[in-house]
Amino acid sequence: MSLIPAFEIGVWNAWIFIFPYLLINLGLPFLIGNKGAAQFIWPPYNKKERKLRGINMVTFFGPWIYSVFLPLKLGTAWFYAGLFIYLLGMIFVTVATLNFATTPLDKPVTKGVFRISRNPMTLGGFLALVGIGIVCASWILLLCAMVFIVLQQTLVIAEERMCLEKFGNAYQEYMNRTPKWIGLPKSGESKPQGGNHVAYTSF
C-alpha cells in the first residue's frame, strides 16, 4: 500500500466495483415496481447533524469520483481479500434494498437482513467501500470508509428520532430486540436502548 497511490484512468479501475453498487442501490427498487416504499426521506437534522452529514457525503460519494482514476491490484492478495469483503457488503446492500422496497410505507422494515441489523444498508455500504479500498490497496479509500462509519454513529440518531415519531411503539420494540449493526436478535422483553437507531436511508 503506497503512501502516494497510483492515479491513472483505465478500464480496470475501481469504478468497476462502484457501478454495481449504484445500480443495485438506486435502480433495484424501481425495477421491482414498488416505487412508493423506495422513496428517500431525509430526517430532520439539527445544525450539528447537518454539518456532519455534509462531511459524511464527501467521505462516501467522493471515492466514487476518485475510483475512476484508481487502478485495481489484480492477481494480488490485496485484490482477493478485498473482493471477499466487497461481495459481503453487496449481499447486505442487495437484500436490504429488496426488504426496504417491498415494505409498505406505514410499517417499519423488520424483515430479511433487518432482523440481524438495524442498519444493513449502511453496514453494507461501509463493507463495500472497505473492500474497494483493499482491492486497490488505497489507504485514502480506507480512511474515507472509517470516517464514514464513525460519523454514522451520530447521524443515525436523527433517523431514529424520525422513525420513532412515525412508527411509535412498533419501532421501539424493533430497536429493543435488534442489534444496531449486526448480531442475533434478542428475544422477549428488554429495556429501551436510548440512543440507538435503525437506518432506513439508502447510501
Side-chain angles (χ1 to χ4, degrees):
M1 189 173 292
S2 174
L3 181 62
I4 303 176
F7 193 80
E8 59 187 55
I9 297 178
V11 175
W12 298 106
N13 281 8
W15 71 268
I16 293 176
F17 289 91
I18 296 289
F19 183 74
Y21 175 84
L22 292 176
L23 185 63
I24 292 172
N25 195 255
L26 302 178
L28 186 58
F30 296 94
L31 292 177
I32 64 176
N34 191 344
K35 297 181 181 180
Q39 293 184 73
F40 177 85
I41 301 175
W42 290 104
Y45 293 121
N46 59 36
K47 185 176 181 180
K48 176 184 176 181
E49 292 165 345
R50 285 196 298 271
K51 290 180 180 179
L52 292 178
R53 180 63 184 176
I55 297 172
N56 217 28
M57 290 183 69
V58 172
T59 61
F60 193 77
F61 294 111
W64 296 7
I65 300 174
Y66 180 48
S67 69
V68 176
F69 307 96
L70 189 60
L72 304 174
K73 298 295 184 181
L74 297 172
T76 65
W78 288 106
F79 180 82
Y80 293 112
L83 181 62
F84 174 78
I85 297 173
Y86 170 81
L87 292 176
L88 182 61
M90 289 300 294
I91 290 173
F92 266 85
V93 170
T94 302
V95 178
T97 301
L98 286 170
N99 296 153
F100 180 69
T102 55
T103 298
L105 286 173
D106 60 347
K107 295 182 179 180
V109 188
T110 61
K111 62 184 179 180
V113 290
F114 282 88
R115 294 179 181 274
I116 61 173
S117 173
R118 303 206 308 270
N119 298 272
M121 291 182 181
T122 301
L123 177 61
F126 167 71
L127 291 175
L129 187 56
V130 168
I132 296 171
I134 295 176
V135 298
C136 299
S138 171
W139 65 267
I140 294 177
L141 287 189
L142 293 176
L143 178 61
C144 285
M146 294 303 115
V147 173
F148 168 75
I149 200 65
V150 168
L151 292 180
Q152 279 301 114
Q153 296 287 339
T154 298
L155 292 173
V156 294
I157 296 175
E159 298 173 4
E160 178 183 71
R161 292 195 304 262
M162 180 180 69
C163 290
L164 283 171
E165 290 177 2
K166 183 175 182 179
F167 303 116
N169 290 336
Y171 186 72
Q172 181 66 68
E173 291 173 1
Y174 171 72
M175 289 174 55
N176 292 345
R177 69 175 181 267
T178 308
K180 182 176 184 180
W181 293 113
I182 192 168
L184 296 176
K186 300 176 183 178
S187 59
E189 297 293 330
S190 59
K191 297 181 180 179
Q193 296 183 10
N196 293 336
H197 173 61
V198 55
Y200 293 150
T201 51
S202 178
F203 295 98

